[in-house]
């Protein structure tokens, strides 16, 4: 593509102008408003809004469940991707397609159905609750629903990498006398690490910002199962806009850091595979 | 949504060549684990939605949807809000993809990265940002009230929130497609005397139609299902600003499980249709990209 396209093809200023206008109005100005509002607080006020025992508990809870569920996602997602790429079984295409359901299913529906499945009378709860496993209105419930949301990120990141693995490397390892597990851990696994890390980061980012499904299943108990976005909503309902915004800014900074990290990871893995 | 398309051809070859390597026991164990995970996390919830929705029989189901005027209003509201947001982001996606893939300008890669920004903003924060601008205490609040315009706690706010959350979908599907196709055919059309719109309707659009449709489908699924952002700006006025996902939550809070699951079943149906169309379109866009790669003889550039 050459810059001289601008002389040949029409619509450069129109399309770029519209793009910039639309993004400014819809995304950049609102974001700026968010930061302006937060900075209208004094440092002490900001700190008081952002760092209370309740908000700290919420950050801790949000991070803990997001990290635990992302770990669960990469383990389970790895097994699923491996099986889908390497083995054959009935209805494989349908199972493959269903992996994307968490992308397409509204989060409110996920929350609603998960909250019903794991209570004592639910389909799965009737077996699990007698064993002392509470998959609804608990920390575990949030981990479950976030794992549901995280798995497709991992599977869809791993699948193309697993498919592109060169057969001859495995063959060479085998011919050189490596055992099956040696081949896996020394030859296959290292090439999957960038994709696994990217999948982890993507599902972590999703988990940190998630609201819809979590409010259904967590029970929203302050200090125990309350996530940071719930606190924002609570502050808003008290018309404490500035305090709500302060917490929002903390979340925004975290998610921008995640975004930069994901971009770096993707660049790293591109170089890794090149 | 992460953009990872895989080739099913490679998948089919791949499984034949590598399948004999793992011992049968490992194969069965892993397959069982994978299927168990998919079943517990995805299939059982999916079946449960419809089971719960139809637990009272078909007539009750129908009544829960149609007789409850608030539910009916929420369906109508979603059917109004989502298409508007989709059209807005469709026009934006076309403009952005055209500017980014056909011209060089400073800040081009920054702009491409910025398009994805809404994906990394928590939906609740997105709603909050709109409150800060247009709410009663917001920057434009007093001005809006003076002119008797309502954005927050009314339909325009819902549309804006949905637009923000779904902003990247069409653009990020179109950019790789248009990048791969390249500008040659369009340059030819213009050189042969076509004007801009003729070129767009006769050359550009036919080339990108499947990729475009794919983006629209994904955008629509998210637009209809959005919860967090619209939750904040809606004000929860029953029958007026409750979209379908918000109605699901309200009925759930009112312990009306059959009603809640009835609405949820419609949204689940939408998700299933989206998945089916996605599978079909993925094959089409893959062919489109393969075609483009064959026409453009620059290996390594068309990815």
């Amino acid at each position: 593509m050459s810059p001289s396209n601008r002389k040949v093809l029409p619509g450069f200023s129109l399309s770029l102008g519209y793009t910039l206008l639309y993004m400014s109005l819809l995304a950049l100005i609102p974001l700026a408003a968010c930061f302006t509002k937060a900075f209208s607080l004094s440092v002490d006020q900001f700190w008081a809004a952002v760092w209370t025992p309740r908000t700290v508990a919420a950050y801790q809870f949000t991070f803990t469940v997001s990290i635990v569920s992302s770990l669960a996602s990469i383990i389970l997602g790895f097994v699923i991707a491996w099986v889908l790429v390497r083995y054959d079984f009935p209805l494989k295409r349908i199972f493959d397609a269903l992996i994307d359901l968490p992308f397409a299913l509204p989060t409110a529906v996920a929350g609603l159905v998960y909250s019903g499945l794991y209570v004592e009378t639910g389909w799965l709860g009737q077996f699990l609750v007698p064993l002392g496993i509470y998959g609804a209105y608990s920390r575990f419930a949030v981990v479950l629903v976030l794992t549901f949301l995280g798995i497709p990120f991992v599977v869809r990141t791993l699948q193309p990498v697993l498919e592109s693995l060169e057969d001859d490397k495995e063959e060479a390892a085998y011919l050189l006398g490596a055992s099956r597990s040696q081949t896996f851990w020394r030859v296959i696994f290292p090439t999957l690490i960038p994709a696994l890390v990217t999948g982890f980061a993507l599902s972590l980012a999703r988990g940190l910002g998630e609201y819809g499904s979590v409010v259904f299943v967590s029970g929203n108990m302050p200090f125990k199962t309350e996530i940071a976005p719930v606190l924002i909503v609570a502050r808003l309902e008290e018309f404490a806009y500035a305090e709500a915004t302060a917490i929002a800014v903390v979340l925004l900074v975290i998610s921008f850091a995640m975004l930069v990290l994901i971009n770096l990871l993707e660049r790293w893995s591109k170089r890794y595979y090149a | 949504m992460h953009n990872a398309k895989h080739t099913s051809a490679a998948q089919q070859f791949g499984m034949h060549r590598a399948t004999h390597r793992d011992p049968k026991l490992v194969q069965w164990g892993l397959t069982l684990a994978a299927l168990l995970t998919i079943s517990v996390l995805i299939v059982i919830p999916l079946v449960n939605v419809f089971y719960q929705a139809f637990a009272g029989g078909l007539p009750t189901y129908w009544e829960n949807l149609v007789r409850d005027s608030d539910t009916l209003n929420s369906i109508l509201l979603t059917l109004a809000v989502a298409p508007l947001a989709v059209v807005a982001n469709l026009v934006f996606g076309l403009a952005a993809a055209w500017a980014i893939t056909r011209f060089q300008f400073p800040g081009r890669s920054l702009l491409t990265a910025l398009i994805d920004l809404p994906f990394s903003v928590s939906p609740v924060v997105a709603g909050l940002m709109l409150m800060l601008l247009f709410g009663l205490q917001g920057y434009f609040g007093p001005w809006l009230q003076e002119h008797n315009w309502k954005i927050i706690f009314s339909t325009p706010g819902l549309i804006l929130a949905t637009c923000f959350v779904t902003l990247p979908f069409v653009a990020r599907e179109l950019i790789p497609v248009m990048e791969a196709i390249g500008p040659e055919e369009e340059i030819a059309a213009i050189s042969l005397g076509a004007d801009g719109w003729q070129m767009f309707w006769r050359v550009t659009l036919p080339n990108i139609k499947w990729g475009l449709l794919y983006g629209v489908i994904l955008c629509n699924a998210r637009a209809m299902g959005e919860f967090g952002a619209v939750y904040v700006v809606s004000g929860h006025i029953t029958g007026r600003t409750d979209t379908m996902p918000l109605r699901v939550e309200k009925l759930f809070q009112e312990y009306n499980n059959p009603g809640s699951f009835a609405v949820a079943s419609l949204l689940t149906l939408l998700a299933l249709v989206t998945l089916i169309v996605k599978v079909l379109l993925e094959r089409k866009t893959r062919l489109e990209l393969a075609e483009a790669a064959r026409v453009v003889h620059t290996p390594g550039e068309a990815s």
Side-chain angles (χ1 to χ4, degrees):
Chain A
M1 188 190 334
S2 64
S4 64
N5 273 351
R6 216 178 287 182
K7 290 191 195 107
V8 185
L9 291 175
F12 173 67
S13 34
L14 180 69
S15 63
L16 185 62
Y18 184 74
T19 303
L20 292 177
L21 180 73
Y22 188 84
M23 281 181 61
S24 306
L25 288 179
L26 212 55
L28 302 180
I29 291 176
L31 267 175
C34 202
F35 281 93
T36 319
K37 185 79 183 179
F39 290 131
S40 72
L41 293 167
S42 74
V43 176
D44 287 341
Q45 285 171 317
F46 183 85
W47 201 243
V50 165
W51 207 259
T52 66
R54 191 168 163 190
T55 55
V56 172
Y59 302 138
Q60 274 173 350
F61 179 65
T62 312
F63 266 94
T64 316
V65 288
S66 300
I67 289 173
V68 171
S69 60
S70 302
L71 285 174
S73 295
I74 56 170
I75 295 168
L76 298 171
F78 172 76
V79 173
I80 293 172
W82 182 270
V83 166
L84 284 176
V85 171
R86 300 209 153 204
Y87 305 153
D88 205 6
F89 51 89
L91 304 178
K92 182 166 134 170
R93 293 179 69 97
I94 292 175
F95 280 110
D96 192 355
L98 278 174
I99 297 296
D100 282 331
L101 187 78
F103 284 154
L105 193 72
T107 51
V109 178
L112 174 73
V113 66
Y114 266 74
S115 73
L117 277 175
Y118 290 92
V119 293
E120 213 172 346
T121 50
W123 280 5
L124 298 167
Q126 56 181 321
F127 306 112
L128 295 175
V129 172
L131 300 175
I133 300 169
Y134 297 93
Y137 309 112
S138 63
R139 285 164 173 253
F140 181 52
V142 182
V143 170
L144 269 175
V145 79
L146 291 184
T147 308
F148 167 80
L149 294 173
I151 278 186
F153 287 104
V154 179
V155 175
R156 295 304 183 226
T157 322
L158 273 176
Q159 250 174 343
V161 182
L162 275 172
E163 275 156 12
S164 67
L165 276 187
E166 296 291 335
D167 212 20
D168 45 3
K169 277 193 195 145
E170 277 175 66
E171 238 156 59
Y174 177 73
L175 289 174
L176 291 170
S179 73
R180 187 64 200 151
S181 68
Q182 276 176 324
T183 312
F184 177 78
W185 289 110
R186 302 250 180 112
V187 179
I188 302 175
F189 189 70
T191 56
L192 300 179
I193 290 174
L196 281 170
V197 176
T198 307
F200 179 82
L202 287 169
S203 68
L204 185 65
R206 176 71 206 260
L208 289 175
E210 179 56 19
Y211 177 74
S213 56
V214 177
V215 287
F216 279 87
V217 300
S218 75
N220 305 310
M221 287 170 279
F223 297 104
K224 280 182 79 185
T225 59
E226 193 174 55
I227 53 166
V230 169
L231 277 180
I232 297 179
V233 173
R235 291 288 171 280
L236 274 177
E237 279 165 0
E238 298 158 2
F239 297 102
Y241 282 28
E243 282 79 5
T245 313
I247 303 173
V249 163
V250 172
L251 286 190
L252 278 175
V253 169
I254 294 170
S255 41
F256 290 158
M258 288 296 300
L259 189 68
V260 172
L261 184 72
I262 292 169
N263 273 316
L264 289 176
L265 282 171
E266 276 175 355
R267 215 166 294 172
W268 172 51
S269 48
K270 250 182 216 160
R271 215 178 322 141
Y272 199 96
Y273 298 126
Chain B
M1 199 165 297
H2 189 65
N3 194 13
K5 293 188 191 98
H6 53 282
T7 54
S8 86
Q11 190 180 333
Q12 278 160 11
F13 294 128
M15 97 207 157
H16 289 305
R17 63 162 200 234
T19 187
H20 61 278
R21 296 265 171 67
D22 294 329
K24 274 274 177 277
L25 199 66
V26 174
Q27 282 195 34
W28 287 341
L30 288 179
T31 309
L32 200 68
L35 293 187
L36 197 68
T37 307
I38 299 176
S39 302
V40 169
L41 288 179
I42 295 173
V43 180
I44 290 179
L46 188 61
V47 177
N48 190 259
V49 173
F50 292 104
Y51 176 83
Q52 300 267 15
F54 290 103
L58 201 61
T60 321
Y61 174 76
W62 187 244
E63 234 155 72
N64 279 330
L65 284 180
V66 184
R67 284 289 146 74
D68 185 334
S69 67
D70 295 333
T71 296
L72 199 60
N73 280 334
S74 77
I75 298 172
L76 295 176
L77 185 60
T78 292
L79 289 179
V81 168
L84 283 171
V86 170
V87 168
N89 285 329
L90 168 69
V91 175
F92 162 74
L94 282 169
W98 182 253
I100 286 171
T101 64
R102 293 298 177 258
F103 305 102
Q104 288 288 0
F105 53 90
R108 184 168 158 267
S109 52
L110 178 70
L111 181 64
T112 316
L114 273 179
I115 289 177
D116 276 347
L117 192 80
F119 278 160
S120 53
V121 174
S122 174
V124 169
V125 178
L128 168 81
M129 296 189 310
L130 291 176
M131 295 283 280
L132 292 178
L133 286 177
F134 305 116
L136 259 188
Q137 299 180 36
Y139 292 108
F140 301 118
W143 185 81
L144 284 169
Q145 205 183 22
E146 231 169 76
H147 293 77
N148 215 3
W149 285 342
K150 242 181 137 174
I151 292 183
I152 298 299
F153 303 154
S154 104
T155 316
L158 298 173
I159 296 169
L160 280 175
T162 310
C163 279
F164 175 86
V165 176
T166 58
L167 181 140
F169 278 102
V170 179
R172 69 172 299 160
E173 287 308 321
L174 279 186
I175 289 170
V177 172
M178 285 178 64
E179 193 101 43
I181 289 171
E184 287 76 12
E185 288 181 35
E186 284 141 357
I187 292 174
I190 294 293
S191 318
L192 293 171
D195 67 34
W197 291 116
Q198 285 175 322
M199 175 213 66
F200 174 74
W201 289 109
R202 305 230 181 133
V203 180
T204 310
L205 198 61
N207 275 338
I208 60 169
K209 57 179 185 288
W210 298 119
L212 186 69
L213 189 57
Y214 183 60
V216 164
I217 293 288
L218 295 181
C219 186
N220 179 62
R222 181 65 198 269
M224 290 194 164
E226 177 48 31
F227 184 79
V230 291
Y231 183 87
V232 173
V233 299
S234 89
H236 320 292
I237 310 165
T238 304
R240 288 198 36 216
T241 61
D242 277 344
T243 60
M244 284 167 78
L246 297 179
R247 186 71 191 147
V248 168
E249 199 254 0
K250 194 164 278 176
L251 289 167
F252 173 75
Q253 296 293 352
E254 291 166 357
Y255 301 101
N256 183 351
N257 260 5
S260 185
F261 272 100
V263 183
S265 74
L266 288 185
L267 289 168
T268 309
L269 208 60
L270 168 78
L272 286 176
V273 171
T274 304
L275 280 193
I276 294 169
V277 179
K278 186 173 185 289
V279 169
L280 296 177
L281 284 179
E282 253 170 3
R283 211 172 305 156
K284 289 262 191 202
T285 39
R286 215 159 39 228
L287 291 178
E288 220 168 67
L289 283 177
E291 180 73 19
R294 217 173 326 129
V295 174
V296 184
H297 298 289
T298 45
E301 210 181 85
S303 54

